[in-house]
Amino acid sequence: MDSKLLNSKLTFGQRLTLLFSCFILGLIMTTLFVLIINSTSLAPQKGIIISTVLQNVIAFILPAAITVVFISSNALQFLQLHKAPSLKAIAAMIGTYLVMIPAFNLLVDWNKGITFPESLSAIEQYLRAAENAAEAVTNSLIQNNGPLALILVILTVGVLTGFAEEVFFRGALLRIFESRPVRIHAAIWITAVVFSAMHMQFFGFFPRIVLGALFGYALWWSGSLWVPIIGHILNNSMVVILNHIHTPGTPPLAIDTIGITNGFPWLALASAVATIVIAVLLSRYFKRINA
C-alpha cells in the first residue's frame, strides 16, 4: 500500500479501533431506529426492508467512510473505489464463483450438519434456534411476494447489502490490515473470518469464510473494490431469487444440491481443486498485467 495514502499519526491499532468503534455506535443507532419502527403500525415486510437499509448505511457504509476519511488522504483510492473494474476481472470473479459452487454446496451441507457433544447440546439448540429465527425473517421477506416486491428485496438485500458489506470489510478492514506488514493472504483470510463471525450464524460460518476469501482475492487480483462488490451482489441476489422460487417444505432446488452426494464427493473435490488452481493462475495473470 502506498504510504502516502495513510495518516502516519494513527497506528494500526488506532485505525482498527476507530473502524469498530464507529461500527458499534452505528449498530446501537440502528437498533434504536428499529425499535422505533417496530413500535409503529408499519407492515412487517416494510419494517424489515427499512431496517436492512438503515443497518447497511449506518452500521457499515458510514463507519467505513468516516474511518477512511480520518486515516487516509484519498478515501476513494484507499477503498479502491476509484478504479473502474475491467471486464476480464469481472468475468474472472463470476467464473471462479460458478466453478466453486459444487464444493461450496458440500461445505454448506457439512456446516449445517455439525452436531455438538452432548455436554454442549444447550449451546447447539440456542444457535440453531437463532439461525432458524433469522431464516424465518428472511423467508417472510422473500417468499410469497409479487415481482415488484422481489425487485425491491433484490435491490435491498442483493445490491445495497453487497455494496455496504464490501465497503466495510474489503474496502476498509482488509485495507487497514494491508497497512501494516501483514502478508496479503493472511489479511484476506483474517478479514474473511471477521466477515463471517460478524454475521452471527454458526451453521453458515465456514462457507461464509470461503466466500469472504473469494471476495478478498478478487480485490487483490483487480485492484478495484467494484469487482468483489459485483460478486457479492451476484451471490446475494441469487440467494434471494432461489429462495423466492423455492417452496418451504419441498426438496431443495437442483442448483443447491450440486456436489452433494451420499458417495465420495468427486464433483465437489474437483470443484475445490479447480477453484484453487484458477485462483493461483488469476493472481499471477492479473499481477503481471497490472505490474
Side-chain angles (χ1 to χ4, degrees):
M1 177 182 290
D2 187 350
S3 59
K4 294 179 181 179
L5 286 175
L6 289 169
N7 180 350
S8 58
K9 294 180 180 180
L10 294 176
T11 66
F12 169 74
Q14 288 171 330
R15 294 168 194 147
L16 277 182
T17 300
L18 177 59
L19 177 64
F20 282 103
S21 296
C22 290
F23 168 76
I24 293 171
L25 179 59
L27 207 58
I28 293 172
M29 292 176 63
T30 302
T31 302
L32 293 175
F33 284 131
V34 170
L35 290 174
I36 294 172
I37 291 170
N38 290 339
S39 67
T40 66
S41 57
L42 196 67
Q45 289 180 339
K46 292 182 179 179
I48 295 172
I49 289 176
I50 293 173
S51 301
T52 303
V53 171
L54 290 173
Q55 176 177 293
N56 283 320
V57 174
I58 299 175
F60 288 109
I61 296 176
L62 283 180
I66 292 170
T67 300
V68 173
V69 165
F70 271 95
I71 70 175
S72 176
S73 58
N74 189 325
L76 288 180
Q77 190 173 346
F78 184 92
L79 292 169
Q80 293 189 296
L81 285 170
H82 68 296
K83 182 179 178 181
S86 70
L87 291 178
K88 288 182 179 180
I90 294 173
M93 169 77 250
I94 296 174
T96 307
Y97 177 86
L98 294 175
V99 170
M100 190 177 73
I101 285 176
F104 189 76
N105 284 345
L106 184 63
L107 185 60
V108 169
D109 186 64
W110 169 79
N111 199 167
K112 284 183 177 178
I114 290 177
T115 56
F116 290 19
E118 185 65 30
S119 58
L120 300 176
S121 60
I123 296 176
E124 180 180 351
Q125 291 175 8
Y126 171 79
L127 292 174
R128 289 196 182 277
E131 197 134 342
N132 290 337
E135 186 176 347
V137 172
T138 303
N139 289 338
S140 69
L141 182 63
I142 294 172
Q143 294 169 344
N144 302 319
N145 289 310
L148 291 178
L150 176 62
I151 292 172
L152 180 60
V153 175
I154 290 174
L155 290 174
T156 306
V157 177
V159 178
L160 180 58
T161 299
F163 175 81
E165 291 188 353
E166 286 310 302
V167 166
F168 184 90
F169 289 103
R170 256 61 61 178
L173 182 59
L174 175 56
R175 295 284 284 161
I176 288 174
F177 277 119
E178 283 187 80
S179 71
R180 66 173 289 129
V182 175
R183 290 180 61 86
I184 183 62
H185 302 291
I188 287 172
W189 284 98
I190 292 171
T191 302
V193 170
V194 175
F195 165 70
S196 185
M198 286 175 62
H199 279 77
M200 304 294 289
Q201 292 179 312
F202 174 78
F203 295 101
F205 180 72
F206 295 103
R208 197 171 283 111
I209 289 177
V210 173
L211 201 61
L214 173 62
F215 297 150
Y217 280 111
L219 175 62
W220 183 47
W221 298 334
S222 63
S224 172
L225 187 63
W226 293 108
V227 176
I229 286 173
I230 290 170
H232 204 143
I233 289 172
L234 170 66
N235 176 75
N236 287 12
S237 298
M238 280 186 61
V239 170
V240 169
I241 293 170
L242 292 175
N243 275 279
H244 179 76
I245 295 172
H246 181 249
T247 302
T250 63
L253 298 172
I255 191 172
D256 290 329
T257 61
I258 298 173
I260 300 175
T261 177
N262 292 326
F264 190 83
W266 290 108
L267 181 58
L269 178 60
S271 168
V273 172
T275 301
I276 294 171
V277 171
I278 290 172
V280 172
L281 293 176
L282 285 174
S283 64
R284 291 178 179 176
Y285 171 76
F286 282 107
K287 286 303 170 185
R288 186 175 69 251
I289 66 173
N290 291 329

